[in-house]
């Protein structure tokens, strides 16, 4: 049946359910479930739907359809009729049996009833509210440059191409974009393949480091020898990290790991990960190996911002990964920055999400969590 | 002194020996000795995890090698809990052997152990999410062992107790899986802006979850006719889905480059 609908009507556009249609639909849906429950004694199908004999094939079919999505990775599945119908059918079952259990709460043990209701009603609420709330969810991407308040953003919810530009009810001014980086690493690579060598006989020691440095190119002296390039401390835009290192060679990789025996050879020089202004620099160790400083990994990146709302209100805040800023029903997430400039980026990319149905989905999730804990507690007592 | 993977054998081998002693005494029905040795082994193993945690300056939960470490820790933990609650004598031997397998993988095929943690993983949700999942994997591993036992020893299929044990393991495993999954959802909302985005890892977590639900509901079809191979295969298939979710999707063509969950593949 799902396939038939798929071929006749085509994929489903969730956007059709925007407020207030989804709220009305929810009211009607709950009402219909109530009526179906009331007339269950007269209609065999409803009676059967509420038995475990209906639940098992429905769940199994759910696994099958989701498995198809998992194996193909085909996103269109999410808007296809077979997929939606399975989940709709599961919701119906969940809704009906929850009504029955609530109305017959006095029968059976309180804990097992509570456990049942938390598990089933929680899932019902999370699924229904997630599906209906999907239409009201707004998601857009905003790119802010230092010192320039920005209220235009790219709409990420629609499916149209190219994506629509929307004007938001708030604007974001970026004051500063900060990257904290992990300490640099030194990696020995193969000269020919550029592959990382984990078991080389070389040990790298860092002698000195400039977090912010500029390169000073060496000159050829009168004999035609190239004077060595070196790095100096320098704090302006475009500065890179550079380190002066000593590489020590041992007889084998194993001895290098212990670093106890006599070294055979040492080599000194500068290495740098470079920046958008300066090239990176490797130190050649011998005919086989070189040592490089890979680009430093960001530990934390954060934007210091002021958010202006329509009614002359403003809020200052720091937005970083895993720590979104919540304002006026919007959650603002740190997403990206100008990666070409790296630590010198003067732009920051945010994603703004507004999801009015979220509290209801969360209520469902919390009920399921409580249900899971109750399941754990009661698991052994049922059949021993 | 800072602990590193170099010191792993000095902790892992004595731990396994202690667990083996615990297993031995569980067969001899010596309860105190069983508990003492198993718990000592667990404590020693946990000491290594803590030491590694301190020296890495982050919870060791990111690479496959590190998750295997937790898995080999939680197997005996799940084992001793199951043993103390339901007194199955075989459970400790199973958990010890499986833990040994994962320790051996870590000893002989260590993967590159990175010390950095990208910003997306720096969250208070990180540790509970992965640890709860690892515990649930351990329980489902035990459930698989029971299912395989029933598959190859058909005459035991009429034993009420074994089925009750399988059900218990499935219920407890599923409750942990639910908690792990929902923690993941709550975290995803904070990190990526949505609680469920049908990312390949999420899709497979959903499949696995539903799949164990099928087993649990199927088993409620009460009559004796539902004790056959179908239920056994449900556990086995569910466990396969679980493996897909854990590491299989790293190799699944349709999931390549799409998942935001692939931290260990570089």
């Amino acid at each position: 049946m799902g396939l038939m609908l798929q071929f006749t009507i085509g994929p489903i556009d969730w956007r059709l359910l925007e407020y207030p249609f989804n709220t009305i639909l929810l009211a009607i849906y709950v009402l219909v479930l109530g009526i179906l429950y009331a007339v269950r004694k007269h209609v065999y199908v409803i009676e059967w739907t509420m038995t475990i004999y209906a639940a098992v094939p429905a769940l199994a079919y759910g696994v099958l359809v989701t498995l198809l999505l998992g194996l193909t990775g085909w996103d269109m599945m999410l808007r296809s009729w077979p997929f939606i119908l399975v989940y709709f059918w599961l919701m119906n079952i969940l809704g009906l049996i929850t009504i029955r259990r609530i109305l017959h709460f006095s029968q059976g043990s309180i804990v097992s009833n509570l456990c049942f209701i938390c598990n089933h009603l929680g899932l019902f609420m999370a699924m229904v509210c997630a599906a209906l709330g999907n239409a009201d969810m707004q998601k857009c991407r905003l790119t802010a440059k230092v010192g320039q308040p920005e209220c235009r953003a790219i709409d990420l919810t629609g499916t149209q191409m190219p994506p629509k530009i929307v004007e938001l009810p708030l604007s974001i001014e970026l004051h500063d974009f900060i990257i904290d980086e992990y300490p640099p690493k030194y990696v020995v690579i193969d000269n020919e393949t550029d592959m990382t060598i984990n078991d080389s006989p070389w040990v790298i020691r860092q002698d000195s480091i400039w977090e912010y440095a500029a390169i000073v190119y060496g000159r050829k002296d009168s004999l035609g020898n190239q004077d060595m390039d070196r790095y100096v401390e320098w704090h302006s835009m475009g500065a890179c990290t550079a380190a002066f290192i000593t590489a020590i060679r041992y007889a084998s990789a194993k001895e290098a790991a212990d670093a106890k025996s006599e070294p055979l050879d040492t080599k000194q020089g500068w290495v740098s990960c470079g920046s958008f202004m300066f090239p990176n620099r490797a130190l050649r160790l011998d005919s086989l190996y070189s040592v490089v400083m890979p680009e430093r990994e960001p530990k934390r990146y954060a934007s210091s911002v002021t958010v202006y709302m329509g009614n002359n209100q403003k809020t200052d805040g720091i937005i970083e990964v895993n720590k979104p800023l919540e304002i006026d029903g919007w959650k603002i997430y740190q997403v990206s920055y100008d990666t070409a400039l790296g630590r010198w980026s003067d732009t920051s990319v945010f994603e703004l999400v507004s999801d009015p149905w979220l509290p209801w989905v969360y209520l469902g999730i919390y009920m399921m969590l409580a249900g899971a804990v109750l399941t754990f507690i009661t698991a052994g007592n049922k059949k021993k | 002194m800072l602990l590193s993977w170099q010191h792993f054998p000095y902790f892992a081998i004595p731990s396994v020996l202690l667990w083996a002693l615990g297993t031995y005494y569980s067969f001899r029905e010596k309860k105190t000795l069983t508990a003492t040795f198993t718990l000592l082994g667990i404590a020693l193993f946990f000491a290594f995890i803590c030491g590694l945690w301190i020296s890495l300056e982050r919870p060791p939960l990111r690479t496959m090698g590190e998750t295997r470490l937790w898995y080999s820790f939680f197997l005996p933990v799940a084992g001793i809990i199951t043993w103390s609650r339901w007194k199955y004598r075989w459970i400790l031997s199973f958990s010890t052997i499986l833990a040994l397998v994962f320790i051996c993988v870590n000893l002989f095929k260590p993967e590159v152990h990175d010390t950095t943690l990208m910003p997306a993983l720096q969250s208070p949700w990180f540790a509970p999410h992965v640890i709860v999942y690892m515990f649930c994997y351990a329980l489902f591993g035990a459930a698989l062992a029971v299912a395989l036992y029933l598959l190859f020893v058909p005459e035991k299929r009429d034993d009420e107790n074994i089925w009750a044990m399988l059900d218990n393991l499935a219920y407890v495993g599923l409750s942990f899986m639910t908690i792990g999954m929902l923690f993941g959802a709550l975290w995803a909302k904070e990190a990526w802006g949505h609680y469920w985005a049908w990312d390949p890892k999420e899709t497979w977590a959903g499949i696995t979850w539903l799949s164990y639900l099928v087993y649990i509901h199927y088993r409620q079809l009460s009559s004796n006719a539902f004790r056959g191979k179908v239920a056994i295969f449900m556990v086995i298939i569910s466990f396969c889905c679980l493996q897909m979710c854990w590491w299989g999707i790293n190799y699944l063509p349709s999931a390549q480059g799409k998942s935001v969950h692939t931290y260990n593949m570089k």
Side-chain angles (χ1 to χ4, degrees):
Chain A
M1 189 169 87
L3 283 176
M4 272 163 57
L5 281 168
Q6 181 74 21
F7 289 125
T8 48
I9 302 178
I12 293 155
D13 189 0
W14 281 107
R15 297 267 96 186
L16 290 176
L17 289 174
E18 244 171 84
Y19 184 84
F21 294 109
N22 46 12
T23 319
I24 297 169
L25 200 67
L26 178 63
I28 295 174
Y29 181 51
V30 174
L31 199 70
V32 168
L33 280 180
I35 293 170
L36 285 178
Y37 180 78
V39 301
R40 73 192 183 284
K41 292 265 151 71
H42 309 286
V43 188
Y44 175 71
V45 180
I46 306 173
E47 192 89 64
W48 178 79
T49 305
M50 293 168 65
T51 63
I52 196 94
Y53 292 91
V56 172
L59 280 168
Y61 192 40
V63 172
L64 215 69
V65 173
T66 320
L67 201 67
L68 220 62
L69 170 74
L71 286 174
T72 58
W74 188 46
D75 293 336
M76 283 297 284
M77 279 292 289
L78 297 174
R79 299 199 289 133
S80 70
W81 282 99
F83 191 81
I84 307 282
L85 281 179
V86 171
Y87 280 87
F88 181 61
W89 183 237
L90 279 171
M91 283 198 288
N92 292 341
I93 295 179
L94 280 170
L96 285 171
I97 56 169
T98 312
I99 296 176
R100 179 176 60 194
R101 197 48 89 99
I102 292 175
L103 292 180
H104 293 87
F105 195 80
S106 51
Q107 295 168 12
S109 89
I110 293 177
V111 179
S112 86
N113 280 343
L114 264 181
C115 179
F116 184 93
I117 290 170
C118 279
N119 282 332
H120 293 81
L121 184 61
L123 182 59
F124 178 78
M125 282 187 60
M127 275 170 63
V128 171
C129 295
L132 292 176
N134 207 21
D136 284 339
M137 197 174 75
Q138 272 179 291
K139 191 174 175 184
C140 45
R141 179 167 297 185
L142 183 148
T143 306
K145 242 181 146 60
V146 169
Q148 296 170 14
E150 181 64 77
C151 67
R152 286 162 302 162
I154 298 167
D155 186 18
L156 297 175
T157 25
T159 44
Q160 71 267 53
M161 277 297 166
K164 200 165 64 179
I165 305 279
V166 287
E167 202 151 305
L168 296 170
L170 50 82
S171 64
I172 301 178
E173 183 181 357
L174 179 67
H175 298 300
D176 197 10
F177 178 73
I178 313 138
I179 293 193
D180 292 340
E181 291 166 316
Y182 281 102
K185 286 181 185 164
Y186 306 100
V187 177
V188 176
I189 58 166
D190 187 300
N191 280 341
E192 293 206 343
T193 59
D194 283 352
M195 295 289 278
T196 307
I197 308 291
N198 287 317
D199 52 350
S200 78
W202 291 89
V203 173
I204 313 298
R205 194 182 70 204
Q206 175 185 305
D207 295 329
S208 64
I209 181 164
W210 297 125
E211 291 275 343
Y212 296 91
I215 190 168
V216 177
Y217 289 104
R219 286 174 302 193
K220 279 196 172 116
D221 62 15
S222 52
L223 295 167
N225 294 323
Q226 174 85 43
D227 183 21
M228 224 173 51
D229 297 343
R230 61 198 171 85
Y231 286 83
V232 292
E233 193 166 18
W234 188 64
H235 279 274
S236 295
M237 177 148 176
C240 59
T241 303
F244 192 79
I245 56 165
T246 302
I248 305 150
R249 186 163 71 91
Y250 291 92
S252 66
K254 199 183 171 319
E255 281 179 41
D258 296 335
K260 281 178 190 145
S261 51
E262 256 328 278
L264 301 179
D265 194 8
T266 58
K267 195 122 194 173
Q268 288 192 311
W270 287 96
V271 288
S272 167
C273 58
S275 71
F276 71 96
M277 242 167 89
F278 300 112
N280 55 350
R281 165 173 292 264
L283 176 65
R284 196 179 163 89
L285 298 173
D286 55 26
S287 58
L288 290 176
Y289 304 121
S290 291
V291 60
V292 293
M293 181 196 290
E295 229 171 276
R296 289 174 66 180
E297 291 171 271
K299 189 175 192 170
R300 161 183 181 253
Y301 46 95
S303 302
S304 136
V305 295
T306 301
V307 182
Y308 301 93
M309 269 81 75
N311 44 2
N312 274 337
Q313 276 187 318
K314 60 173 189 171
T315 311
D316 295 319
I318 304 263
I319 304 172
E320 58 183 289
V321 180
N322 267 317
K323 286 176 193 158
L325 187 68
E326 202 169 351
I327 287 174
D328 241 8
W330 289 90
K331 275 196 174 204
I332 308 173
Y333 297 86
Q334 175 76 57
V335 177
S336 185
Y337 53 95
D338 187 341
T339 45
L341 293 182
R343 55 150 72 147
W344 296 108
S345 171
D346 59 351
T347 50
S348 189
V349 184
F350 303 109
E351 245 167 51
L352 291 89
V353 181
S354 131
D355 187 356
W357 291 65
L358 186 68
W360 300 103
V361 178
Y362 268 26
L363 187 62
I365 289 181
Y366 291 137
M367 285 176 79
M368 283 171 80
L369 279 173
V373 174
L374 285 172
T375 307
F376 172 66
I377 295 169
T378 54
N381 310 342
K382 275 181 197 158
K383 314 158 200 168
K384 195 171 173 178
Chain B
M1 189 188 69
L2 286 176
L3 279 181
S4 75
W5 279 99
Q6 270 185 325
H7 308 108
F8 183 55
Y10 307 119
F11 286 84
I13 294 167
S15 295
V16 172
L17 290 177
L18 285 167
W19 292 333
L21 273 175
T23 309
Y24 171 75
Y25 284 114
S26 80
F27 280 109
R28 302 287 303 270
E29 310 233 6
K30 298 251 167 64
K31 285 180 188 157
T32 326
L33 286 172
T34 307
T36 315
F37 283 118
T38 310
L39 289 174
L40 271 177
I42 290 171
L44 186 66
F45 202 82
F46 192 60
F48 176 75
I49 296 182
C50 291
L52 195 67
W53 192 325
I54 293 164
S55 68
L56 289 176
E57 296 177 347
R58 63 170 175 83
L61 292 164
R62 182 177 160 200
T63 64
M64 285 305 272
E66 287 161 6
T67 50
R68 275 199 293 268
L69 189 67
W70 284 95
Y71 195 55
S72 22
F73 168 72
F74 276 120
L75 276 163
V77 172
I80 190 95
I81 291 174
T82 318
W83 173 81
S84 67
R85 194 159 171 180
W86 295 300
K87 295 288 174 299
Y88 305 135
R89 270 182 294 168
W90 60 275
I91 185 82
L92 286 176
S93 55
F94 162 75
S95 63
T96 305
I97 290 171
L98 213 58
L100 180 67
V101 170
F102 283 92
I103 286 171
C104 286
V105 176
N106 267 3
L107 281 175
F108 301 120
K109 199 185 157 290
E111 281 160 40
V112 184
H113 302 292
D114 214 327
T115 55
T116 56
L117 197 59
M118 65 181 64
L121 291 182
Q122 293 171 18
S123 161
W125 288 110
F126 182 32
H129 172 62
V130 183
I131 290 173
V132 167
Y133 253 118
M134 284 299 124
F135 190 71
C136 122
Y137 287 7
L139 287 163
F140 283 144
L144 176 76
V146 180
L148 290 175
Y149 177 71
L150 285 174
L151 182 67
F152 292 113
V153 191
E155 56 273 20
K156 287 279 177 190
R157 281 184 210 160
D158 290 326
D159 190 337
E160 192 86 32
N161 290 327
I162 295 182
W163 282 102
M165 166 165 45
L166 187 52
D167 288 350
N168 283 337
L169 287 169
Y171 271 100
V172 177
L174 191 70
S175 59
F176 272 87
M177 180 178 241
T178 309
I179 295 170
M181 190 170 74
L182 297 177
F183 277 6
L186 296 175
W187 178 13
K189 179 71 198 171
E190 288 307 296
W192 300 319
H194 202 44
Y195 41 85
W196 191 274
W198 295 103
D199 172 272
K201 193 102 174 174
E202 291 168 4
T203 306
W204 279 97
I207 294 168
T208 315
W209 189 72
L210 279 175
S211 175
Y212 279 106
L213 277 181
V214 173
Y215 169 78
I216 279 181
H217 287 87
Y218 182 76
R219 286 283 299 144
Q220 291 183 0
L221 298 173
S222 61
S223 90
N224 288 339
F226 297 105
R227 280 215 196 120
K229 275 189 178 165
V230 179
I232 297 171
F233 274 108
M234 280 179 181
V235 177
I236 297 173
I237 292 169
S238 303
F239 193 77
C240 294
C241 294
L242 189 68
Q243 298 314 304
M244 195 69 183
C245 178
W246 186 7
W247 50 268
I249 54 160
N250 290 350
Y251 306 97
L252 191 73
S254 66
Q256 291 305 315
K258 262 180 151 181
S259 177
V260 282
H261 270 95
T262 43
Y263 300 113
N264 45 345
M265 304 291 281
K266 271 203 175 175

